[in-house]
Amino acid sequence: MAKVYVTENNDRIHGIMAEFAGPADLYHACEKVRDAGYSKWDSFTPFPIHGMEEAMGIKRTILPVIVAVVGFTGVGLGYLLQWWVSNSGYQFVTQGKPYGGLVNGGWQVFVPITFEIGILFSAFASIIGMLALNGLPRWNHPLFKKERFLASSDDKFFISIEAGDAKFDPDATRALLEKAGATSIELVEE
Amino acid sequence: MTSIHPDQVTAERLAGLSRGATPPPVLDPRTGDGTLIDTPGVRAPLVLNNRGFGEITDIVCGYVENKPPRWWLPAFLAAFGLAQLGGILILYLVITGIGTWGLTNQVDWAWDITNFVFWIGIGHAGTLISAILCLLKQKWRTAVNRAAEAMTIFAVICAATFPGIHIGRQWMAWFLPPIPNANAIWPNFKSPLLWDVFAVSTYGTVSALFWFMGMVPDFATLRDRADRRLRRSAEGPILLPFVPIRTDKIRAFVYGFLALGWRMSSRHWHRYEAAYLILAGISTPLVLSVHSIVSFDFATSILPGWHTTIFPPYFVAGAIFGGFAMVLLLLIPFRELYANMKDLITLRHIENMAKILLTTGMMVGFAYSMEFFIAWYGGNKFELYAFQNRAFGPYWWAYWTMISCNVISPQLFWSKKLRTNVVVVWIVALFVTIGMWFERFVIIVTSLHRAFLPGEYHMFHPTLVDIGIFAGSFGVFLTLYLLFMRFLPAFPIAEIKAVLPQASPHSHGDHGHDHSGHDHKH
């Protein structure tokens, strides 16, 4: 269990936030934080920086697997919907064609809609899955209290190490960020 | 709304004032604005004037935060008025019946389905830019991506209106989706018209999701800018005189809500990029399927002129052709009218899109000639008649308008001089837009007006209601587009920053910090 750190006003500490001068500085600082063995930390950049996953040691996301599972579920449901409607829900002979299905033939007519529903499910899965894995929507975050942090969506680059990290130590963490080339360091209250 | 921008430096920069001291760079005249470089190994800059990250933010957010240009309100009112005209005529149509269109004879699908295919095709360029060019790692797409995606969605809205109102009893439109109803009637899944319902609704939904996801980080940028201004000063521009709500407060709330709490985290960016790639991957077959399925509406029938296997690829190529024409038609004037937009949309963008017009125009031209060849080579005399009638029958003028607009006019783009001249490109784009509307008109009307029974031989004459609703659809499209330019981030801010040269963490030239002693793995 990590220690709980508080400020002199008894506010709980969320962590330490440090600003870096640019993408390259941030990139190398991230490598140092990664190598120091922290786990509850993050960097904040106005745009996705190429290769950041490696510099931060981020594991590959499971999102593609989620999308594949949901997408193929959509494919299955899409086919079932059409098969059930045509064979059971509302049997209706058009142009002397079979009702449609794998057994009695005529499954081909179901392909376009099966495909479309598979795509629809995959699209929802990729966006909702991405947001859910990111813990969004979450409109409130301790970092937003820092005015300086708001520039991360403009042209500034930050690293934040959370107090909940097992390796977090106010002095050592601060020293690490300073050594990594931070241009400013701030304490972030919860 | 006295202050144009609360930050004087930004305001000056947006007006191009703070850069006045630097003399303009001397450019090789053959490179246009400096982006038309043909030398192998030299990469043309994607953004001009060495804009930094902050400047990109200022320029794009400026379009939303500053007072709109003087032409904006009149243009908006004109477009909105046109949309109202369309709305009133649709109401008249619903009350009176589709006989108010020129559908008094057997030529049943005339303008309504022409308009539907016309609009849905226009949407395809947006998806091509956002999905296919993303998979092909075409970095230039970032500048036109957002605007083209917006065009897609608005075009799908316009398109979806037409099948919705052409069904005769519009209040029965809810029979289209497969939902249980009181008569236990379900839709016919063997009909390409139902495939169309699913294809278009999936396309609209996925495009809107993709568009929204792309805007989330940019909403965060707009939110943070408003939030910073709110924290920095207690005073600021207010919504309306006598309404003491600060505009920034509304921005912080609305953009903040839409940003879903996005905080630019690298861990989030990682999943975001994965989701983006997946969406690009699934949108690519989706966009190809949509116009293929639209073409099935025709190709699966037995009518000469419609019943051809070339339709799916031919329709898809035509859709991309028409869509790029519309992108150029919109962006060339906006590029002139908005400050600093030429730094983001360079001559090279225009040239690239002109090349796509030339390529897809040739594909369409190939399809036109192949249709004719197969009509002759296939030995089916009904088919051959349908095509002879297209070119030399009573609708010859529509056919040759189509050929000259779609096949001949893009040939100008073989000349580099012409395809980098924005006026020429705009005029050709206009011709292509007209030509692509006529293409659908030719396919639909010339085939229907000489169907199998001589009793079905009629000419189609549009009524004022036909014309008004079509004009109204342009009003809807432009209204939505002007609102988009005014209130939403018109360029993908984060994506543009990511393709700037200084965005690479491995370029050590542009910062003065010493990293000796670091473990450089790269």
Side-chain angles (χ1 to χ4, degrees):
Chain A
M1 188 62 203
K3 279 186 268 177
V4 175
Y5 296 96
V6 292
T7 63
E8 56 273 28
N9 302 331
N10 243 12
D11 290 327
R12 279 182 65 169
I13 289 176
H14 169 76
I16 291 181
M17 175 185 102
E19 188 183 329
F20 292 84
D25 284 17
L26 183 84
Y27 187 90
H28 297 302
C30 284
E31 287 177 329
K32 296 203 142 192
V33 177
R34 174 198 69 192
D35 293 342
Y38 287 90
S39 56
K40 288 189 177 174
W41 67 287
D42 208 339
S43 67
F44 302 89
T45 60
F47 51 87
I49 291 181
H50 187 68
M52 212 53 184
E53 290 85 355
E54 201 209 331
M56 287 178 65
I58 299 175
K59 272 189 276 173
R60 201 189 157 96
T61 173
I62 195 166
L63 186 66
V65 179
I66 296 173
V67 175
V69 170
V70 177
F72 283 111
T73 307
V75 167
L77 288 176
Y79 185 85
L80 271 181
L81 167 79
Q82 299 177 78
W83 178 84
W84 178 82
V85 165
S86 306
N87 287 275
S88 175
Y90 189 59
Q91 283 191 332
F92 193 73
V93 179
T94 45
Q95 300 170 341
K97 289 172 188 159
Y99 292 128
L102 290 166
V103 180
N104 297 320
W107 56 272
Q108 294 88 341
V109 288
F110 298 153
V111 169
I113 293 179
T114 304
F115 170 78
E116 299 296 337
I117 293 179
I119 295 282
L120 189 66
F121 273 56
S122 312
F124 275 107
S126 52
I127 291 185
I128 295 174
M130 181 270 289
L131 290 173
L133 290 172
N134 285 347
L136 298 174
R138 173 185 174 178
W139 285 279
N140 194 320
H141 195 274
L143 286 166
F144 288 145
K145 289 182 197 155
K146 294 285 167 195
E147 192 192 323
R148 185 189 291 274
F149 177 76
L150 298 183
S152 65
S153 63
D154 184 6
D155 57 352
K156 299 288 190 283
F157 301 82
F158 297 91
I159 286 178
S160 143
I161 301 181
E162 290 179 23
D165 192 299
K167 291 207 70 172
F168 183 85
D169 173 80
D171 299 320
T173 305
R174 184 194 163 95
L176 171 75
L177 290 168
E178 266 175 10
K179 200 168 153 254
T183 56
S184 87
I185 293 183
E186 281 185 50
L187 206 59
V188 184
E189 292 88 13
E190 194 68 62
Chain B
M1 297 256 272
T2 45
S3 152
I4 283 183
H5 203 286
D7 176 0
Q8 192 57 33
V9 178
T10 309
E12 283 182 1
R13 200 179 275 161
L14 279 167
L17 294 175
S18 62
R19 282 185 167 264
T22 341
V26 183
L27 296 169
D28 181 348
R30 282 169 300 172
T31 64
D33 55 3
T35 55
L36 305 177
I37 301 169
D38 281 336
T39 320
V42 179
R43 278 185 189 273
L46 292 161
V47 175
L48 292 178
N49 278 331
N50 288 322
R51 297 288 182 184
F53 300 131
E55 282 177 299
I56 300 289
T57 318
D58 287 342
I59 291 172
V60 180
C61 295
Y63 300 142
V64 175
E65 292 167 352
N66 292 331
K67 250 182 147 160
R70 207 174 288 174
W71 54 267
W72 189 87
L73 193 63
F76 173 78
L77 289 176
F80 190 66
L82 198 58
Q84 297 309 304
L85 172 78
I88 289 166
L89 288 172
I90 288 175
L91 187 67
Y92 174 66
L93 172 92
V94 172
I95 293 169
T96 319
I98 49 169
T100 56
W101 280 340
L103 305 182
T104 47
N105 56 46
Q106 299 283 344
V107 189
D108 282 336
W109 269 18
W111 273 41
D112 45 340
I113 298 300
T114 300
N115 298 342
F116 162 69
V117 182
F118 171 76
W119 279 116
I120 196 86
I122 281 174
H124 283 51
T127 320
L128 183 99
I129 291 172
S130 62
I132 299 179
L133 295 187
C134 171
L135 296 182
L136 297 176
K137 302 244 181 272
Q138 293 291 312
K139 286 182 176 176
W140 62 274
R141 64 177 268 286
T142 53
V144 286
N145 180 17
R146 177 71 44 75
E149 281 181 39
M151 182 195 74
T152 296
I153 289 154
F154 305 149
V156 172
I157 291 171
C158 291
T161 314
F162 286 98
I165 57 176
H166 99 300
I167 52 175
R169 288 179 288 169
Q170 292 83 359
W171 49 96
M172 308 291 266
W174 63 280
F175 269 55
L176 291 171
I179 41 176
N181 59 59
N183 302 324
I185 293 172
W186 290 81
N188 174 16
F189 283 106
K190 290 164 222 163
S191 164
L193 298 179
L194 191 65
W195 303 350
D196 219 11
V197 171
F198 277 83
V200 172
S201 52
T202 300
Y203 183 51
T205 312
V206 173
S207 302
L209 285 174
F210 202 177
W211 189 52
F212 174 71
M213 194 188 87
M215 281 194 291
V216 164
D218 300 342
F219 285 139
T221 302
L222 285 163
R223 168 201 67 198
D224 289 350
R225 284 167 67 91
D227 200 351
R228 276 155 85 193
R229 286 193 295 267
L230 287 172
R231 291 186 201 196
R232 277 180 191 165
S233 79
E235 295 286 312
I238 55 167
L239 187 62
L240 291 166
F242 311 111
V243 184
I245 305 171
R246 283 185 66 179
T247 322
D248 281 331
K249 204 147 200 169
I250 295 171
R251 286 195 190 119
F253 183 79
V254 175
Y255 294 128
F257 180 79
L258 293 170
L260 306 174
W262 189 262
R263 51 180 189 273
M264 303 286 156
S265 145
S266 290
R267 293 180 193 277
H268 292 182
W269 279 125
H270 167 63
R271 301 190 187 96
Y272 177 89
E273 288 196 300
Y276 203 103
L277 197 60
I278 293 170
L279 278 172
I282 61 174
S283 297
T284 301
L286 173 67
V287 68
L288 301 181
S289 83
V290 173
H291 229 57
S292 298
I293 291 176
V294 168
S295 80
F296 290 163
D297 291 348
F298 305 98
T300 58
S301 77
I302 54 165
L303 196 67
W306 287 6
H307 187 68
T308 54
T309 48
I310 202 176
F311 260 30
Y314 157 36
F315 267 50
V316 171
I320 291 165
F321 182 53
F324 267 95
M326 187 57 100
V327 173
L328 287 164
L329 216 49
L330 288 168
L331 288 185
I332 289 175
F334 282 140
R335 184 174 172 270
E336 302 290 332
L337 290 166
Y338 278 102
N340 295 329
M341 208 180 263
K342 280 183 186 163
D343 287 354
L344 303 177
I345 303 176
T346 64
L347 269 185
R348 192 173 189 97
H349 288 98
I350 308 286
E351 192 197 12
N352 283 350
M353 289 192 273
K355 283 179 181 168
I356 295 177
L357 273 193
L358 177 60
T359 314
T360 46
M362 306 261 281
M363 288 183 193
V364 170
F366 174 76
Y368 296 156
S369 47
M370 193 46 69
E371 273 187 321
F372 246 100
F373 172 74
I374 292 296
W376 166 75
Y377 187 67
N380 179 330
K381 54 184 171 182
F382 298 102
E383 186 82 3
L384 185 59
Y385 171 74
F387 281 92
Q388 282 172 340
N389 179 55
R390 253 183 209 182
F392 307 110
Y395 281 110
W396 63 271
W397 49 272
Y399 184 83
W400 294 107
T401 307
M402 165 185 104
I403 294 285
S404 33
C405 288
N406 291 350
V407 186
I408 298 169
S409 80
Q411 301 306 321
L412 293 179
F413 292 156
W414 287 106
S415 149
K416 181 165 178 162
K417 202 166 189 166
L418 293 175
R419 69 172 181 261
T420 53
N421 180 329
V422 288
V423 178
V424 174
V425 175
W426 194 84
I427 291 170
V428 171
L430 183 67
F431 276 130
V432 170
T433 307
I434 295 168
M436 283 311 291
W437 187 87
F438 270 100
E439 180 198 296
R440 281 66 177 248
F441 179 82
V442 165
I443 291 171
I444 292 169
V445 172
T446 65
S447 300
L448 278 172
H449 93 127
R450 290 289 181 271
F452 290 110
L453 295 175
E456 297 176 33
Y457 286 15
H458 289 287
M459 294 294 283
F460 174 77
H461 300 285
T463 62
L464 280 177
V465 181
D466 274 300
I467 298 165
I469 292 178
F470 181 48
S473 70
F474 273 95
V476 171
F477 181 76
L478 288 175
T479 303
L480 292 170
Y481 212 86
L482 288 166
L483 286 173
F484 160 73
M485 293 300 289
R486 176 75 187 89
F487 293 110
L488 296 178
F491 291 86
I493 306 173
E495 280 182 59
I496 292 182
K497 286 176 190 166
V499 299
L500 292 178
Q502 62 267 41
S504 163
H506 310 302
S507 65
H508 286 259
D510 39 31
H511 60 89
H513 298 268
D514 181 22
H515 286 285
S516 55
H518 284 208
D519 176 23
H520 287 290
K521 289 176 186 165
H522 307 282

